[in-house]
């Protein structure tokens, strides 16, 4: 085949890949006491089409309801080290095999979790964090963050280790009921 024919084949393959990728689905969210939320998630060995589909579905699921700003794979029933974050007004983040490089400072925050619906609790989180991981193309990325993004990064990485924010509360009596629509991780 001539190079032009190869190019056409390549473009057609890209188009069919993209159209397959467009079929995203909203996945039901696992809630406490689902045991998957307490399991340490496995590292992703190969970033294949199933991992990319998982990320697309997680982004779709996160944006399906206002107020969702982050989602970790165990929350959609997949015990893999993958999370997505969507802070309103900022670009979505998807991170594979994330690790905290460093964290500094301490502050009190109100925190909620999609897997513990209807409640919020006050806990301590870092002021700034630096996280590294890989994007959907396998490229290493590093994120330095403050505020809600720093909190979300810590929250989602906790999920991958089977940790929930309620673990940081002195007692479950410290949980407060919230209105629907408040930010949930
Ligand atoms: Zn959560």
């Amino acid at each position: 085949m001539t190079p032009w024919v190869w190019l056409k084949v390549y473009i057609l393959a890209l188009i069919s890949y993209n159209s397959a990728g467009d079929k995203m689905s909203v996945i039901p969210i696992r809630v406490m006491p689902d045991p998957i939320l307490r399991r340490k998630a496995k590292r992703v060995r190969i970033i294949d089409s199933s991992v990319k589909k998982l990320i697309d579905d997680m982004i779709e699921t996160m944006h399906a309801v206002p107020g969702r700003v982050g989602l970790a794979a165990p929350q959609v029933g997949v015990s893999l080290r993958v999370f997505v974050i969507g802070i309103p007004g900022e670009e979505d983040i998807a991170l594979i095999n994330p690790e905290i490089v460093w964290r500094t400072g301490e502050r009190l925050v109100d925190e909620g979790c999609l897997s513990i619906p209807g409640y919020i609790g006050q806990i301590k989180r870092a002021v700034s964090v630096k996280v590294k991981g890989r994007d959907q193309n396998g490229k290493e990325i590093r994120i330095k963050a403050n505020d809600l993004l720093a909190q979300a990064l810590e929250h989602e990485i906790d999920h991958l280790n089977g940790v929930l924010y309620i673990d940081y509360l002195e007692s479950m009596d410290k949980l407060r009921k919230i209105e629907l629509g408040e930010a949930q991780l």
Side-chain angles (χ1 to χ4, degrees):
M1 281 196 274
T2 67
W4 280 112
V5 173
W6 277 114
L7 185 65
K8 271 190 199 163
V9 168
Y10 178 65
I11 288 169
L12 279 174
L14 273 183
I15 291 167
S16 60
Y17 174 77
N18 281 334
S19 58
D22 283 340
K23 285 180 207 136
M24 294 193 281
S25 21
V26 173
I27 311 169
I29 291 179
R30 304 292 183 98
V31 295
M32 278 237 305
D34 193 313
I36 199 165
L37 297 170
R38 290 309 197 174
R39 214 175 290 156
K40 193 171 167 22
K42 287 203 177 77
R43 284 181 69 81
V44 173
R45 286 168 185 275
I46 303 160
I47 304 170
D48 58 13
S49 57
S50 73
V51 173
K52 290 176 184 177
K53 170 90 169 85
L54 170 68
I55 288 172
D56 286 345
D57 289 346
M58 285 171 66
I59 287 174
E60 181 88 347
T61 302
M62 177 173 67
H63 290 308
V65 177
R68 293 181 175 177
V69 297
L71 197 59
Q75 290 181 283
V76 293
V78 179
S79 199
L80 281 178
R81 303 188 80 78
V82 174
F83 70 70
V84 298
I85 289 175
I87 306 280
E90 288 175 36
E91 214 175 304
D92 291 336
I93 295 168
L95 219 52
I96 298 163
N97 297 336
E99 284 169 46
I100 294 193
V101 180
W102 52 249
R103 62 182 108 207
T104 58
E106 204 176 73
R107 65 193 180 111
L108 280 174
V109 292
D110 283 333
E111 194 154 309
C113 178
L114 289 165
S115 298
I116 309 165
Y119 292 91
I120 204 163
Q122 198 174 59
I123 59 159
K124 282 177 189 163
R125 286 289 186 198
V127 173
S128 315
V129 297
K130 187 170 183 182
V131 169
K132 68 170 183 175
R134 298 203 177 263
D135 71 8
Q136 296 181 63
N137 302 312
K139 188 180 157 220
E140 188 180 285
I141 50 174
R142 287 165 183 262
I143 302 166
K144 197 182 155 194
N146 298 307
D147 304 317
L148 181 58
L149 180 54
Q151 182 184 355
L153 287 165
E154 283 196 297
H155 181 106
E156 302 312 338
I157 290 172
D158 275 351
H159 267 304
L160 305 183
N161 293 322
V163 173
L164 299 170
Y165 80 87
I166 52 171
D167 301 345
Y168 302 122
L169 295 172
E170 283 165 40
S171 91
M172 292 292 270
D173 301 339
K174 301 274 183 189
L175 281 180
R176 283 192 287 118
K177 284 213 176 243
I178 55 148
E179 302 297 318
L180 280 174
E182 281 195 52
Q184 299 278 279
L185 304 155

